[in-house]
Amino acid sequence: METTFQEFGAVSDRRRRDLELRRRSRNVRIGGAVSVVLLVAIVGAVCALYSPEKDAAKQSRAVTIDQVHTTGKSVETLCASTDYRQTCVSSLNKAVKNTTDPKYLVKAAVFVLLDEASAAFNGTRLLADKDPKLRGAVEDCRQLFEDSKDEITRAVDSIAADGIERIPAKSHDIRTWLSSVMSYQQTCIDGFPEGELKVKLQKAQNTLKEMTSNSLAIIGQLTNFLEMLDVTGLGVGGGRKLLAETEEIGGEEFPSWVPEQSRRVLRETEIKLKANVTVAKDGSGDFKTISEALLNMPSKYHGRYNIYVKAGVYEETVNVTKKMANVTIYGDGATETIVTGDKNFVDGVRTFLTATFAVSGDGFMGINIGIRNTAGAVKHQAVALRVQSDHSIFFHCRFEGYQDTLYAQAKRQFYRSCVISGTVDFIFGDSAAVFQNCLIVLRRPLDNQQNIVLAHGRVDRRETTGFVLHKCKIIADRSLVSDGTNIRSYLGRPWKQFARHIIMESEISGAIVPAGYMPWEGNFGLNTLFYGEAGNTGPGADFAGRVKWRGVRMLKKTTVERYTVARFIQGNEWINANRGITIPVRYGLYH
């Protein structure tokens, strides 16, 4: 298939890399007809011999490697673990003919997404005309297509780097990247105005959605199958630290609202960070704006790049791009160093671009800063912070807005001791994000609106995403408490079909109505969402009055533990790794 968006520029390094990947993908089609692939044989053997009633260990021993090598299974067997089997079979049969290398089939299952993503996103280009809204939506899709290509490429490269036995150790990373592809695709669609055109576009991109879901299923099931077979050299664990409760530092404090502890932690933060450059509005630093400091970063900087921003109100739009990895921006305090803007949907800016502060570069850290969108409730969607950075951390920050304050767009994110305020869907997106020891503040919306804290955007059940509120406080702002009107406030509603969030060991005020949740529109998502609660306190935590949707559940401890920092976002592997500062974190539950 011809590549897309060629008219947007000359052949780049990324384009040359794509061509090389396509050349390598053709090698998938060569080889003898001895067997379809070892991996398919593994899956087929396990499916044929395994049953829940029998002892798994005995069955693993029963399936010998010799049997696996000689088992004549087809692509259909591998695709049996997917939700869209026909799409899986069709796409893999086109990409793979015969090979004796198991790694090629796994690579192919992900690589085929490149061509399909090109076709899906290229279809949006044909919609551009004189309508500025359509042109803008097409431009967003172009950028999102580039993001998708990058995620698919690094997933393929990760699979190719080692032997098949090492893929399980990389499963979390690969599925995170593939989940973000689904998020980007949906963001592209959401940027178009409501109507028949948008519906047609969504249908046209359906195959890409199905293929991405299939890739997520294959990677996820591969881990289980190889573990059951006890394949020699299986890279599960890989020496990773597990629930390192003894290593946490300051895990119990709520520094956002305990002044003495707050001062102590802030002093520790300042001591341990050394700035590469300083930003000061009064001219006493290296730059007067954060944007200038970012634009002047070395193009090939190794290690962490620290930008210190002195106290002041900075009226600018900050964009930490994909090329700006491992950046730390820290200030003098969330109420002292403030970045502010007022871009909004009502004034003609697409929600995707309204963010005062946007972060795409992986490994980002934001510390002791405030970020605001001051457009106000009357301007509707107006984002303060948008994040699609993997392994990103925000510590002692404050995010202020009304509707759509925090767009936690994609990948793995950790928020510790932050204050987040807003009204409608003010924490939304499709990331895997844990908010720990954070203060969630309900503000006064418009008279005809309700407050909704969480609006998660998972579009497929295979995605690894979801929102977790852990040891947080949910309270009402004074403007809401003192208001005489009857504003109703909810914990969440399903923005997309498979919305998922968990609220655990948190304090929920009486501002939250007993039902807890409200529909998005009609019955949309009510049978597929997953809203879990466990160990919460406060007048708003009474589960007896919750809506009776199938996915709204009081969770057992064994289930809740899946959504801790260590297990849900693998935080024990990266939160305090080579950051130059120790972030307080609780890797497991408090009780």
Side-chain angles (χ1 to χ4, degrees):
M1 184 176 295
E2 294 296 321
T3 55
T4 60
F5 294 111
Q6 294 180 9
E7 68 278 15
F8 285 101
V11 175
S12 62
D13 290 339
R14 182 188 288 112
R15 171 76 179 124
R16 282 189 287 271
R17 183 177 63 183
D18 292 343
L19 290 172
E20 172 61 16
L21 280 169
R22 292 180 187 280
R23 184 192 65 77
R24 284 170 16 201
S25 76
R26 286 195 289 271
N27 294 335
V28 174
R29 299 175 173 87
I30 66 173
V34 178
S35 66
V36 175
V37 74
L38 171 63
L39 176 65
V40 175
I42 291 173
V43 176
V46 173
C47 289
L49 296 175
Y50 181 74
S51 65
E53 292 77 15
K54 296 182 180 180
D55 182 78
K58 290 182 179 178
Q59 291 182 72
S60 293
R61 290 192 294 270
V63 183
T64 68
I65 297 301
D66 287 340
Q67 284 177 306
V68 167
H69 272 294
T70 58
T71 304
K73 296 297 181 180
S74 64
V75 169
E76 283 85 351
T77 308
L78 180 62
C79 293
S81 65
T82 66
D83 291 338
Y84 306 101
R85 297 182 186 182
Q86 186 54 49
T87 299
C88 178
V89 170
S90 175
S91 61
L92 285 182
N93 277 337
K94 291 177 181 177
V96 179
K97 296 303 180 184
N98 298 296
T99 177
T100 58
D101 187 342
K103 191 162 61 176
Y104 273 122
L105 187 60
V106 185
K107 284 174 58 179
V110 178
F111 190 87
V112 292
L113 298 177
L114 274 177
D115 275 345
E116 190 60 37
S118 297
F121 285 95
N122 191 43
T124 65
R125 181 181 60 84
L126 303 176
L127 303 176
D129 59 15
K130 296 181 180 179
D131 186 336
K133 290 184 178 180
L134 287 180
R135 288 203 309 271
V138 169
E139 176 59 26
D140 288 348
C141 287
R142 187 197 66 81
Q143 180 58 57
L144 291 161
F145 169 62
E146 294 298 331
D147 292 342
S148 296
K149 283 203 301 183
D150 287 344
E151 307 303 349
I152 296 167
T153 298
R154 67 174 173 175
V156 171
D157 288 346
S158 181
I159 293 168
D162 295 300
I164 187 72
E165 72 280 357
R166 294 295 303 168
I167 296 178
K170 304 174 179 181
S171 176
H172 288 303
D173 289 338
I174 295 170
R175 288 187 292 159
T176 293
W177 301 330
L178 295 178
S179 294
S180 68
V181 172
M182 300 199 83
S183 174
Y184 300 153
Q185 180 196 8
Q186 189 60 50
T187 302
C188 165
I189 294 170
D190 288 345
F192 285 83
E194 295 295 332
E196 184 179 358
L197 180 63
K198 185 173 184 177
V199 172
K200 289 182 178 179
L201 177 63
Q202 190 145 11
K203 290 181 179 179
Q205 298 205 31
N206 196 53
T207 301
L208 174 60
K209 176 185 173 182
E210 293 181 355
M211 289 171 62
T212 309
S213 174
N214 290 340
S215 298
L216 284 164
I218 289 169
I219 297 297
Q221 291 301 314
L222 174 65
T223 304
N224 298 331
F225 291 140
L226 293 182
E227 283 180 334
M228 284 191 292
L229 287 171
D230 194 24
V231 173
T232 302
L234 184 61
V236 178
R240 298 180 302 175
K241 291 184 290 185
L242 296 178
L243 217 56
E245 294 294 348
T246 58
E247 296 186 3
E248 68 176 297
I249 296 177
E252 280 72 34
E253 75 246 359
F254 278 78
S256 294
W257 52 86
V258 182
E260 186 60 34
Q261 293 179 356
S262 178
R263 287 194 294 271
R264 175 177 60 78
V265 175
L266 282 169
R267 283 196 297 270
E268 291 176 357
T269 301
E270 292 168 349
I271 290 171
K272 294 181 179 180
L273 286 173
K274 182 178 180 180
N276 292 83
V277 294
T278 297
V279 175
K281 191 175 182 179
D282 61 7
S284 61
D286 301 295
F287 302 99
K288 290 186 176 181
T289 69
I290 301 170
S291 297
E292 287 179 299
L294 289 169
L295 288 173
N296 283 278
M297 274 184 61
S299 59
K300 295 183 179 179
Y301 186 82
H302 297 287
R304 180 155 289 278
Y305 196 81
N306 296 327
I307 300 174
Y308 166 50
V309 185
K310 288 186 176 182
V313 178
Y314 296 82
E315 298 178 1
E316 57 176 308
T317 299
V318 175
N319 185 16
V320 182
T321 70
K322 288 187 296 183
K323 296 180 180 180
M324 301 172 183
N326 299 318
V327 172
T328 298
I329 296 180
Y330 68 103
D332 287 325
T335 59
E336 300 296 326
T337 299
I338 300 168
V339 186
T340 184
D342 62 359
K343 292 182 179 179
N344 62 85
F345 183 79
V346 171
D347 288 346
V349 181
R350 300 178 302 284
T351 304
F352 181 69
L353 297 178
T354 61
T356 300
F357 201 113
V359 181
S360 300
D362 288 348
F364 178 82
M365 290 182 69
I367 302 173
N368 301 339
I369 58 174
I371 301 172
R372 296 174 178 169
N373 191 311
T374 60
V378 72
K379 295 293 186 175
H380 296 281
Q381 296 97 320
V383 176
L385 172 68
R386 178 173 65 83
V387 184
Q388 65 178 81
S389 163
D390 200 16
H391 293 172
S392 53
I393 297 173
F394 293 86
F395 174 52
H396 260 279
C397 293
R398 191 178 189 98
F399 314 117
E400 300 178 19
Y402 288 85
Q403 183 170 346
D404 293 359
T405 301
L406 172 55
Y407 189 0
Q409 185 182 0
K411 303 177 189 171
R412 290 163 290 193
Q413 308 175 16
F414 179 61
Y415 298 79
R416 171 73 190 206
S417 306
C418 294
V419 179
I420 309 164
S421 65
T423 56
V424 180
D425 306 328
F426 65 94
I427 301 176
F428 77 110
D430 191 19
S431 65
V434 177
F435 302 84
Q436 192 174 84
N437 285 20
C438 290
L439 184 63
I440 313 298
V441 184
L442 302 160
R443 304 182 80 175
R444 174 72 165 83
L446 299 176
D447 290 342
N448 63 342
Q449 292 180 328
Q450 305 88 24
N451 284 327
I452 303 102
V453 178
L454 302 170
H456 193 249
R458 193 168 63 143
V459 297
D460 187 273
R461 72 184 185 94
R462 301 287 186 179
E463 288 187 76
T464 59
T465 60
F467 291 154
V468 178
L469 300 187
H470 186 200
K471 202 67 173 178
C472 293
K473 282 187 176 181
I474 302 175
I475 66 171
D477 183 80
R478 292 179 182 177
S479 63
L480 186 60
V481 173
S482 61
D483 195 281
T485 58
N486 185 26
I487 298 294
R488 298 175 66 82
S489 298
Y490 299 84
L491 294 172
R493 62 173 177 167
W495 181 33
K496 301 300 179 185
Q497 188 173 2
F498 293 90
R500 175 165 64 179
H501 75 235
I502 295 85
I503 303 173
M504 56 196 197
E505 298 186 315
S506 295
E507 183 179 331
I508 306 174
S509 77
I512 298 296
V513 299
Y517 309 98
M518 65 174 291
W520 185 270
E521 183 178 5
N523 293 322
F524 174 77
L526 301 190
N527 293 321
T528 49
L529 60 78
F530 181 84
Y531 290 165
E533 298 184 40
N536 299 314
T537 60
D542 186 357
F543 197 78
R546 293 290 188 257
V547 292
K548 306 305 178 185
W549 305 337
R550 184 170 64 182
V552 176
R553 305 174 186 176
M554 180 65 75
L555 304 180
K556 297 179 181 179
K557 186 174 182 179
T558 52
T559 302
V560 175
E561 287 173 344
R562 301 174 191 169
Y563 300 99
T564 57
V565 170
R567 293 185 62 180
F568 188 54
I569 58 172
Q570 303 80 54
N572 53 312
E573 298 177 15
W574 56 269
I575 287 177
N576 282 317
N578 303 316
R579 300 271 176 167
I581 178 177
T582 301
I583 298 295
V585 57
R586 187 84 177 192
Y587 292 114
L589 297 172
Y590 283 83
H591 302 290

